[in-house]
């Protein structure tokens, strides 16, 4: 007799299962999709059980919050990889280069310049994703699609930055697929291998469109309370 029916699958296991299913449907190897567990607003008590299930790649959207939370966790657990997915002020480039293995929010020349300076100085090379504002939303950061090729070229030629890929955050309430498709198209024509797209509500769709990094918070950690960590 097996008792599998009574075993409650963890939210993380469910997300992994959905990633595997989406990859199978798209004819992709699940190893080509990195799950970035977005831990913003959650403290160590919520994060440690996820680490215990083998998750090693985490994301935060604020430098200050990451600085408070992750150094003690890094002392306790090996192999952690931390990604910044929120906006980055140029004056925090130094801390960001020191702390993160990837930055998903490169969106302007002044930040490219600040990151280039710190990368040269620190000899650390976080993977850099250029954030696109595919919906051309005025309140949102990100490079407009029509300016993307020029910005990729400027990052490479003027600032000698290695660009890993593109990131997008489709407008709320719109079908995400066209935004994922556009992001993938811009990446392809610029020779960029990595695509950071898809969140709790839409990561299986993002995988169909080639996402290599899905940024999933709520589906792993539950709803965020208003109060921040
Ligand atoms: C919070 C956040 C996510 C995760 O969103 P969920 O809907 O909770 O999965 C992904 N990307 C960015 C940039 C975020 O700020």
């Amino acid at each position: 007799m097996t008792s599998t029916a009574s075993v409650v699958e963890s939210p993380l296991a469910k997300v992994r299962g959905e990633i595997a299913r989406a990859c199978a449907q798209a004819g992709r190897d699940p190893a080509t999709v990195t799950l970035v567990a977005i831990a913003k607003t959650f403290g160590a008590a919520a994060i440690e059980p996820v680490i215990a299930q083998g998750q090693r790649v985490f994301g935060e959207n604020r430098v200050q919050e990451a600085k408070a939370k992750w150094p003690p966790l890094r002392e306790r657990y090996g192999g952690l990889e931390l990604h910044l997915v929120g906006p980055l002020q140029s004056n925090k480039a130094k801390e960001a280069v020191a702390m993160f293995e990837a930055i998903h929010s490169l969106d302007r020349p002044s930040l490219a310049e600040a990151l280039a300076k710190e990368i040269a100085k620190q000899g650390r090379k976080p993977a850099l994703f250029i954030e696109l504002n595919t919906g051309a939303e005025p309140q949102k950061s990100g490079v407009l699609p029509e300016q993307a090729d020029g910005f990729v070229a400027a990052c490479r030629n003027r600032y000698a930055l290695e660009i890993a890929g593109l990131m997008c955050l489709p407008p709320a309430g719109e079908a995400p697929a066209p935004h994922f498709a556009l992001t993938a198209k811009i990446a392809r024509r610029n020779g960029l291998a990595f695509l950071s797209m898809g969140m709790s509500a839409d990561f299986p769709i993002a995988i169909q469109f080639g996402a290599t990094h899905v940024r999933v918070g709520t589906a792993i950690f539950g709803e965020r309370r208003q109060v921040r960590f």
Side-chain angles (χ1 to χ4, degrees), residues 12-32:
L12 177 69
K14 268 190 200 152
V15 169
R16 285 181 176 156
E18 284 176 49
I19 290 173
R21 205 158 32 243
C23 284
Q25 273 168 13
R28 296 184 55 194
D29 177 356
T32 62

Side-chain angles (χ1 to χ4, degrees), residues 36-40 42 60-61 84-87 104-105 131 167-169 196 198-203 214-220 222-224:
V36 185
I38 307 296
K40 64 188 181 197
F42 290 97
E60 290 286 348
N61 72 336
L84 179 67
V85 300
H104 294 233
S105 48
E131 180 177 351
M167 180 269 228
C168 79
L169 236 168
S196 166
M199 319 199 326
S200 292
D202 54 20
F203 67 87
V214 293
R215 310 179 310 268
V216 180
T218 311
I220 295 170
E223 292 293 332
R224 289 179 285 276

Side-chain angles (χ1 to χ4, degrees), residues 207-228:
I207 288 170
Q208 278 177 23
F209 285 91
T212 61
H213 292 71
V214 293
R215 310 179 310 268
V216 180
T218 311
I220 295 170
F221 292 103
E223 292 293 332
R224 289 179 285 276
R225 287 176 299 158
Q226 294 300 12
V227 189
R228 302 198 64 95

